[in-house]
């Protein structure tokens, strides 16, 4: 059973997170590196270029990589210190098994793999193939993501595979496919610089995607206007030409109001709409009575500001719309995305310089990871696992019968629900920390404790991995070769800088070893990541995410290649839709009429305050990596709850006071950060911490019906001063 083998505090003492304060050799180390490895940052979807300095098989530092066109040497705080995890004292160096009352005990690879395989076989023989599930991260390379999808379907023979991109980009992806038939940002970021108006909604760009800020500032240097939409006055919003302080969950109402004004003022491109789109009449009718005043009531943004936004966007000759998790982490995330796309289509600004639409990828390979079969509903090339023709293509590449490929499985949260309900008995996870990253943490812990077997592949013992029966030590980003795909759709090379430490192995080697012990080695005999990529190219060819013409050599020669790239003589596609042909069955872009509906959970007398969650500049996702780097923790040592002075005064709360937030799921205690940069009906929490400091102790398991993304950005809470006992517990946890 996947219960803690020791109290959590004792496991933390053994496995961290502990803080790494200096690189190998110390900060004053003067030795010349043996080599400089040109690669990319392991964190967010921008995938900035970086040079890693290597000496004696250790990463000892970095240098700017000015030749990579996206960031041109610039890095954010996380990128600068990313290398500090390489020689970290918390690294998992050998396989381990859970021992009740002792924690974890070192074992051999043979014992670890054989135990895992024995449990897979036992559980599936007793309860069926789908009773064993797999959850994987999406900061993996394209090669690993592709192999995970193939491994789950052919080696585990389970339908129940999903990934933590389910908590990131799936609403954007679903909206993109509905509107355009393809799931990728429509432009390279170079088009941002050429835009006259930039609208950013649901993204704290300056902290979450700092290098993208440079593109926006270069556009503003040439006179571009910036519209920021967020319940908080984020750093970039402080300098914006217009800030729209939307109420959590009010996004589609706001966009409908802007579209209403665009139509009323005659700022729509009727020729573009008539020739290249469908669904306009129904969409136009849906917002006919959606006046700025009505939109204001539903969105929390004044009618005056809604009109001003339309007045900036409407007459512009070029424009770029960017969005991220703020509008997507909702039970109506896909609808929010489509309401944004409606504005872009209505003004006809696609497929030409300075005119574009982009979804800001949050995770390291959030783009590539959602293209090649890593999702419960997807096959390589962004194909639909329920489509017989798509299945036939992949079955031929894999050398199996189409009937041997399982059907559509459960999404990440649905898998956890099924574990909780006893329908799924076993789990293999890879670089996924659901105890911190899924909503309703108490529920997640209960589910983990009900597993009959749990094997983890990771390089640190995360909060979730503390529950594992078997731990398999895997490789860091810089310890393996491969490719990744950036937020722009640029396929890039990840280069190995050092070997994995101790007995750690690359993920693709571990997965193949399990497949072979299961007696299903056919198709799992790759001798290198490049060999996997060669098969990925074949599998993706003809799909919407077509990598058929991309090779390692071509990537290196061109500093990346934009997909789709169907043939080796094709240059790649930095800007989609230049011919105004879309990837939908009718070749047109599709409008979708959106009727505003409230979030799944709304405030009431019992829980009267909106809670929204997000990132901070020095942390990444569940913090498994960044909470181990002293320089990053020093920037933001612990989560604070942001609260407006008006709300704080009404509740009797002062700066730095310990306060307790309560929702229908649980409660948690944090220090207050009293700031004017947030709506006075809303509080904000960052979500990078676990235990009693986890924002997801409070969030709900409500899902978007299409994308199955949880509603992290909208919850109802009550807030009060903490009791002395709660404050003492908060201080103790913050000091741990």
């Amino acid at each position: 059973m996947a219960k803690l083998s020791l109290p959590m505090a004792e496991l933390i003492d053994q496995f961290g997170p502990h803080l790494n304060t200096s690189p190998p050799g110390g900060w004053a180390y003067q030795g010349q590196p043996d080599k400089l490895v040109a690669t990319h940052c392991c964190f967010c979807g921008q995938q900035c270029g970086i040079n890693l300095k290597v000496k004696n098989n250790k990463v000892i530092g970095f240098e700017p990589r000015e030749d990579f066109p996206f960031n041109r040497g610039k890095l954010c705080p996380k990128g600068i210190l990313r290398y500090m995890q390489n020689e970290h004292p918390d690294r998992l160096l050998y396989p381990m098994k859970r021992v009740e009352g002792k924690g974890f005990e070192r074992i051999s690879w043979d014992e670890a793999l054989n135990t895992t395989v024995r449990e897979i076989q036992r559980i599936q023989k007793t309860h069926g193939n789908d009773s064993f599930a797999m959850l994987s991260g999406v900061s993996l390379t394209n090669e690993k993501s592709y192999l995970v999808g193939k491994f789950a379907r052919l080696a585990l023979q389970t339908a129940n595979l999903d990934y933590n991109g389910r908590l990131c980009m799936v609403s954007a992806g679903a909206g993109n496919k509905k509107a355009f038939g393809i799931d990728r940002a429509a432009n390279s970021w170079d088009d941002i610089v050429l835009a006259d108006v930039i609208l950013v909604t649901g993204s704290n760009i300056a902290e979450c995607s700092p290098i993208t800020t440079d593109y926006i500032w270069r556009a503003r240097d040439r006179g571009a206007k910036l519209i920021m939409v967020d319940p908080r006055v984020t750093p970039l919003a402080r300098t914006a030409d217009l800030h729209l302080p939307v109420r959590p969950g009010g996004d589609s109402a706001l966009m409908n109001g802007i579209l209403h004004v665009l139509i009323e003022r005659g700022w729509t491109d009727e020729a573009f709409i008539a020739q290249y789109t469908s669904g306009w009449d129904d969409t136009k009718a849906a917002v006919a009575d959606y006046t700025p005043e009505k939109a204001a009531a539903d969105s929390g943004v004044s009618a005056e500001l809604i009109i001003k936004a339309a007045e900036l966007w409407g007459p512009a000759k070029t424009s770029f719309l960017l969005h991220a998790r703020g509008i997507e982490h909702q039970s109506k995330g896909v609808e929010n995305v489509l309401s944004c796309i409606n504005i872009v289509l209505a003004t006809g600004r696609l497929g030409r310089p300075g005119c574009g639409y982009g979804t800001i990828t949050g995770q390291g390979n959030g783009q590539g990871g959602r293209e090649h079969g890593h999702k419960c509903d997807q096959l390589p090339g962004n194909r639909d696992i329920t489509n017989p023709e798509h299945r036939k293509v992949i079955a031929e590449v894999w050398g199996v019968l189409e009937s041997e490929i399982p059907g559509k499985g459960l999404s990440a949260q649905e898998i956890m629900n099924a574990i909780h309900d006893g329908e799924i008995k076993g789990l293999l996870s890879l670089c996924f920390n659901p105890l911190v990253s899924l909503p309703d943490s108490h529920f997640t812990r209960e589910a983990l404790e009900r597993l009959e077997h749990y094997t983890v592949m990771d390089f640190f013992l995360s909060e979730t991995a503390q529950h594992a029966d078997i731990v398999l030590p895997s490789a860091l980003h810089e310890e393996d070769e491969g490719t990744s795909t950036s937020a722009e759709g640029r396929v890039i090379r990840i280069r190995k800088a050092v070997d994995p430490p101790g007995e750690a192995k690359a993920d693709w080697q571990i997965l193949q070893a399990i497949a072979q012990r299961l007696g299903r080695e056919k198709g799992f005999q790759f001798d290198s990541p490049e060999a996997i990529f060669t098969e990925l190219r074949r599998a993706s060819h003809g799909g919407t995410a077509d990598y058929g013409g991309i090779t390692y050599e071509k990537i290196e020669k061109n500093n990346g290649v934009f997909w789709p790239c169907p043939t080796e003589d094709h240059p790649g596609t930095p800007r989609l839709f230049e011919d105004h042909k879309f990837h939908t069955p009718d070749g047109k872009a599709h409008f979708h009429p959106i009727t505003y509906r409230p979030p799944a959970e709304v405030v009431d007398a019992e829980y009267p305050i909106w809670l929204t969650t997000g990132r901070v500049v020095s942390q990444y996702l569940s913090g498994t990596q960044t909470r181990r780097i002293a320089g990053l923790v020093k920037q933001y040592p612990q989560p604070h709850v942001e609260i407006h002075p008006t709300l704080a005064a009404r509740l009797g709360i002062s700066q730095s006071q310990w306060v307790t937030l309560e929702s229908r799921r649980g409660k948690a205690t944090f220090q207050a950060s009293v700031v004017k940069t947030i709506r006075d009906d809303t509080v904000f929490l960052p979500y990078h911490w676990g235990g009693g400091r986890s924002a997801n102790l409070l969030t709900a398991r409500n899902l978007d019906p299409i994308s199955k993304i949880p509603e992290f950005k909208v919850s109802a809470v009550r807030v009060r001063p903490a009791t002395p006992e709660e404050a003492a517990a908060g201080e103790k946890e913050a000091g741990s």
Side-chain angles (χ1 to χ4, degrees):
M1 303 296 287
K3 295 184 177 181
L4 294 181
S5 53
L6 283 175
M8 186 187 301
E10 293 185 39
L11 289 170
I12 290 172
D13 285 342
Q14 290 184 42
F15 297 101
H18 300 111
L19 297 182
N20 195 12
T21 58
S22 64
W27 292 109
Y29 183 69
Q30 298 298 318
Q32 289 298 311
D34 299 329
K35 58 182 177 179
L36 203 62
V37 180
T39 186
H40 293 269
C41 184
C42 59
F43 293 131
C44 81
Q46 296 176 113
Q47 292 290 276
C48 294
I50 187 173
N51 288 315
L52 295 181
K53 297 163 69 174
V54 177
K55 190 173 184 65
N56 298 327
N57 196 42
K58 301 180 189 301
V59 180
I60 62 170
F62 80 98
E63 286 187 0
R65 185 180 167 192
E66 297 180 359
D67 71 301
F68 188 64
F70 179 81
N71 61 307
R72 299 178 299 169
K74 302 179 184 71
L75 291 168
C76 79
K78 293 187 291 293
I80 287 171
L81 292 174
R82 68 172 296 291
Y83 73 95
M84 293 282 287
Q85 62 183 328
N86 181 257
E87 283 293 308
H88 200 286
D90 289 347
R91 278 299 300 273
L92 298 174
L93 301 177
Y94 40 77
M96 300 186 296
K97 68 178 180 181
R98 174 186 181 276
V99 179
E100 182 67 34
K102 293 184 178 180
F104 290 92
E105 179 180 286
R106 180 176 182 172
I107 57 175
S108 69
W109 270 103
D110 279 341
E111 182 180 350
L113 293 172
N114 289 339
T115 300
T116 297
V117 167
R118 184 172 62 249
E119 288 299 303
I120 292 170
Q121 293 171 330
R122 179 188 65 80
I123 288 170
Q124 290 186 324
K125 182 178 180 180
T126 305
H127 303 287
N129 285 357
D130 292 344
S131 66
F132 205 98
M134 185 170 185
L135 289 172
S136 185
V138 75
S139 292
L140 309 177
T141 60
N142 290 317
E143 291 80 357
K144 293 174 186 176
S145 291
Y146 171 81
L147 190 66
V148 164
K150 184 179 182 182
F151 170 86
R153 274 119 192 177
L154 299 190
L156 286 184
Q157 298 183 348
T158 182
N160 289 325
L161 159 74
D162 210 37
Y163 74 142
N164 64 4
R166 185 66 59 182
L167 318 178
C168 183
M169 293 295 300
V170 286
S171 291
N176 290 343
K177 290 171 79 172
K178 282 179 172 292
F180 306 125
I182 191 170
D183 174 18
R184 203 205 89 181
N187 309 65
S188 78
W189 265 213
D190 288 337
D191 274 330
I192 295 174
V193 181
L194 304 177
D196 293 335
V197 174
I198 300 165
L199 191 158
V200 179
T201 179
S203 179
N204 178 5
I205 281 183
E207 293 195 71
C208 303
S209 310
I211 306 306
T212 298
T213 307
D214 175 67
Y215 286 81
I216 293 174
W217 273 111
R218 281 191 277 148
R220 299 188 76 189
D221 285 344
R222 49 167 293 277
K225 302 296 184 182
L226 175 63
I227 304 169
M228 294 290 294
V229 183
D230 201 289
R232 305 161 67 217
V233 187
T234 57
L236 196 56
R238 295 170 198 168
T239 68
D241 298 280
L242 184 64
H243 173 240
L244 307 179
V246 66
R247 184 169 56 231
D251 307 277
S252 61
L254 173 61
M255 294 301 158
N256 280 353
I258 293 173
L259 183 58
H260 175 96
V261 178
L262 294 176
I263 295 168
E264 187 180 62
R265 300 283 185 92
W267 286 325
T268 56
D269 187 335
E270 296 299 324
F272 176 91
I273 292 169
Q275 190 169 357
Y276 302 117
T277 74
S278 67
W280 174 238
D281 288 343
D282 288 342
T283 301
K284 190 175 180 179
V287 298
D289 63 350
Y290 219 83
T291 63
E293 290 73 23
K294 179 174 175 57
D298 289 337
S299 70
V301 177
S302 71
E304 179 185 7
L305 292 180
I306 292 171
I307 293 168
K308 284 184 177 179
E311 289 173 341
L312 287 175
W313 183 271
K317 293 183 179 180
T318 59
S319 60
F320 208 109
L321 191 149
L322 290 161
H323 63 73
R325 307 303 82 71
I327 71 166
E328 299 159 25
H329 273 164
Q330 296 187 34
S331 59
K332 48 186 181 156
V334 177
E335 294 170 21
N336 292 338
V337 168
L338 291 170
S339 71
C340 289
I341 292 174
N342 285 344
I343 289 173
V344 175
L345 291 178
T347 47
R349 299 193 197 124
L350 278 173
R352 54 190 173 93
C355 292
Y357 164 80
T359 57
I360 302 174
T361 308
Q363 297 197 54
N365 194 23
Q367 181 66 54
R370 70 182 193 269
E371 295 167 358
H372 298 301
H374 209 181
K375 299 167 59 184
C376 68
D377 55 353
Q378 181 211 65
L379 291 171
N382 219 333
R383 291 182 170 90
D384 182 355
I385 200 167
T386 65
N387 183 308
E389 290 303 313
H390 292 187
R391 293 171 60 85
K392 183 179 178 181
V393 169
I394 300 306
E396 185 174 334
V397 173
W398 287 351
V400 300
L401 297 174
E402 181 270 331
S403 59
E404 294 180 68
I405 301 176
K408 180 180 177 180
L410 300 174
S411 68
Q413 183 59 58
E414 291 172 326
I415 285 174
M416 198 57 63
N417 295 349
I419 293 171
H420 196 276
D421 291 344
E423 297 166 4
I424 290 176
K425 306 289 187 178
L427 179 65
L428 171 64
S429 74
L430 166 59
C431 294
F432 190 173
N433 190 9
L435 191 53
V436 176
S437 56
L438 283 181
D440 195 355
S441 300
H442 289 307
F443 178 92
T444 303
R445 188 180 296 278
E446 288 175 1
L448 291 172
E449 291 177 346
R450 295 177 184 183
L451 284 167
E452 291 185 11
H453 179 80
Y454 180 26
T455 288
V456 164
M457 297 167 56
D458 215 326
F459 36 78
F460 294 122
L461 197 77
S462 70
E463 285 82 358
T464 307
Q466 293 173 356
H467 287 259
D469 295 294
I470 296 291
V471 177
L472 306 177
S474 61
L476 281 171
H477 192 265
E478 58 265 36
E479 294 165 358
D480 199 8
E481 295 285 340
T483 63
S484 183
T485 307
S486 74
E488 302 177 288
R490 189 197 308 256
V491 184
I492 55 178
R493 278 281 282 117
I494 306 302
R495 294 178 177 87
K496 183 177 179 179
V498 295
D499 294 324
E503 297 180 13
K505 297 178 183 292
D507 304 297
W508 61 274
Q509 295 172 323
I510 300 172
L511 292 175
Q512 293 198 137
I514 295 173
Q516 289 159 11
R517 280 170 168 77
L518 284 166
R520 296 162 187 160
E521 64 273 6
K522 180 185 175 183
F524 299 100
Q525 296 171 322
F526 298 106
D527 60 4
S528 68
E530 188 170 8
I532 301 172
F533 189 74
T534 298
E535 184 173 292
L536 180 158
R537 292 172 56 204
R538 286 202 301 126
S540 71
H541 184 55
T544 54
D546 194 333
Y547 285 36
I550 303 176
T551 65
Y552 277 21
E553 181 182 6
K554 187 172 181 177
I555 295 170
E556 292 176 1
K557 180 180 178 180
N558 296 282
N559 240 332
V561 179
F562 289 86
W563 71 265
C565 181
T567 60
E568 290 193 29
D569 60 356
H570 191 285
T573 315
R575 183 185 297 122
L576 300 178
F577 317 134
E578 288 187 308
D579 57 2
H580 290 157
K581 293 180 180 178
F582 298 89
H583 296 258
T584 54
D586 61 4
K588 294 186 176 184
H590 294 173
F591 282 98
H592 289 80
I594 301 300
T595 301
Y596 169 76
R597 60 185 176 92
E601 182 174 78
V602 297
V603 296
D604 56 20
E606 188 176 5
Y607 297 97
I609 299 167
W610 298 102
L611 166 67
T612 192
T613 66
R615 299 186 186 186
V616 296
V617 68
S618 67
Q619 294 297 317
Y620 178 64
L621 302 184
S622 68
T624 302
Q625 295 162 271
T626 49
R627 283 189 281 120
R628 287 175 159 83
I629 299 174
L632 297 178
V633 172
K634 185 177 180 181
Q635 283 188 260
Y636 203 106
Q638 60 175 301
H640 291 83
V641 55
E642 291 185 8
I643 182 169
H644 192 275
T646 301
L647 180 57
R650 191 168 80 238
L651 299 175
I653 292 168
S654 58
Q655 181 69 32
S656 300
Q657 183 177 354
W658 288 95
V659 298
T660 295
L661 278 61
E662 296 176 292
S663 75
R664 291 176 174 86
R665 275 71 56 191
K667 66 177 183 177
T669 298
F670 309 89
Q671 281 185 289
S673 179
V674 181
V675 294
K676 295 180 180 179
T677 52
I678 190 168
R679 290 177 57 98
D680 63 8
D681 59 358
T682 302
V683 293
F684 168 83
L685 275 174
Y687 58 64
H688 310 287
W689 284 264
R693 296 183 290 172
S694 176
N696 283 324
L697 289 166
L698 305 165
T699 52
R701 291 177 287 116
N702 302 314
L703 303 180
D704 182 290
I706 297 169
S707 68
K708 306 297 183 180
I709 203 168
E711 194 158 43
F712 294 110
K713 292 296 184 284
V714 191
S715 301
V717 298
R718 54 181 177 237
V719 182
R720 58 172 172 77
T723 66
E725 293 77 15
E726 290 169 338
E731 288 180 357
K732 181 178 179 181
E733 183 131 16
S736 62

